[in-house]
């Protein structure tokens, strides 16, 4: 049975509200990161999440090499970071990290100290599916802060505010 067209799939998925996060890996000059809206919990024992990353992303191979990654779920006032790490400003590599303070977590992955929620993951498994790799991360540490989350809905960044 044939699949639906990519444009049809994209339109359907834009109707599913999702949180916006920055996935990061690496230390010092080797830090890499990208904006995603494809993060979800997968199981409680062991606590795991799944994130989809384009195989052409500059962070993709570094996640595989480092074996760990961070997920900083963005607050409603962090839209500028979502756009920056999504490539809107043309910043690449380490330069994406220039406009905000970053901590290194217990796994030594970059995390936004004021993210709505941050999770640190050890790479548990991965599978290449078409253009993206599905990374399964076993969650080692979390932190939360106040505020409202940034949401991706119908192709636009939105807030609950």
């Amino acid at each position: 049975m044939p699949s639906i067209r990519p444009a049809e799939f994209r339109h359907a998925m834009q109707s599913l509200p999702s949180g916006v996060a920055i996935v990061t890996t690496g230390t010092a000059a080797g830090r890499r990161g990208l904006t995603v809206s494809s993060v979800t919990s997968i199981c409680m024992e062991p606590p795991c999440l799944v994130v989809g990353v384009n195989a052409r992303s500059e962070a993709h191979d570094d996640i595989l090499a480092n074996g760990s990654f961070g997920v900083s779920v963005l607050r409603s006032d962090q839209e500028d970071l979502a756009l920056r790490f999504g490539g809107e400003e043309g910043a690449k590599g380490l330069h994406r990290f220039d406009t905000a303070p970053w901590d290194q977590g217990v796994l030594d992955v970059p995390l936004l100290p004021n993210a709505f929620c941050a999770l640190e993951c050890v790479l548990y498994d991965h599978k290449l599916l078409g253009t993206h790799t599905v990374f399964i991360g076993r969650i080692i540490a979390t932190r939360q802060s106040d505020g409202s989350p940034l949401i991706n809905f119908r192709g636009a960044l939105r807030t609950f505010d």
Side-chain angles (χ1 to χ4, degrees):
M1 185 171 287
S3 297
I4 62 173
R5 295 182 326 269
E8 189 178 359
F9 176 64
R10 177 174 285 141
H11 182 71
M13 292 289 81
Q14 286 177 343
S15 297
L16 178 65
S18 59
V20 180
I22 296 175
V23 174
T24 55
T25 192
T27 61
R31 292 188 292 182
R32 298 290 180 263
L34 72 152
T35 300
V36 300
S37 57
S38 58
V39 177
T40 192
S41 62
I42 192 167
C43 64
M44 296 293 287
E45 285 295 326
C48 289
L49 60 78
V50 62
V51 61
V53 175
N54 191 309
R56 294 183 309 188
S57 162
E58 64 181 16
H60 179 275
D61 291 347
D62 287 347
I63 293 171
L64 289 172
N66 294 329
S68 60
F69 60 93
V71 177
S72 294
V73 178
L74 299 180
R75 291 190 334 234
S76 59
D77 62 349
Q78 295 173 319
E79 183 175 338
D80 58 327
L81 288 171
L83 296 173
R84 183 173 185 81
F85 278 79
E88 295 290 321
E89 299 176 2
K92 294 192 180 290
L94 187 60
H95 297 293
R96 288 187 173 179
F97 294 85
D98 290 346
T99 62
W102 291 84
D103 290 342
Q104 293 298 122
V106 297
L107 294 175
D108 210 22
V109 295
L111 297 171
L112 274 171
N114 57 351
F116 183 68
C117 174
L119 305 106
E120 295 182 67
C121 301
V122 171
L123 185 58
Y124 187 80
D125 202 355
H126 66 283
K127 172 79 174 167
L128 179 64
L129 298 169
T131 59
H132 283 62
T133 295
V134 176
F135 290 111
I136 298 172
R138 187 168 53 87
I139 304 165
I140 301 301
T142 66
R143 58 170 100 156
Q144 299 212 200
S145 71
D146 295 327
S148 296
L150 186 63
I151 303 296
N152 184 1
F153 180 63
R154 299 233 163 118
L157 297 176
R158 302 172 189 263
T159 67
F160 287 130
D161 298 337

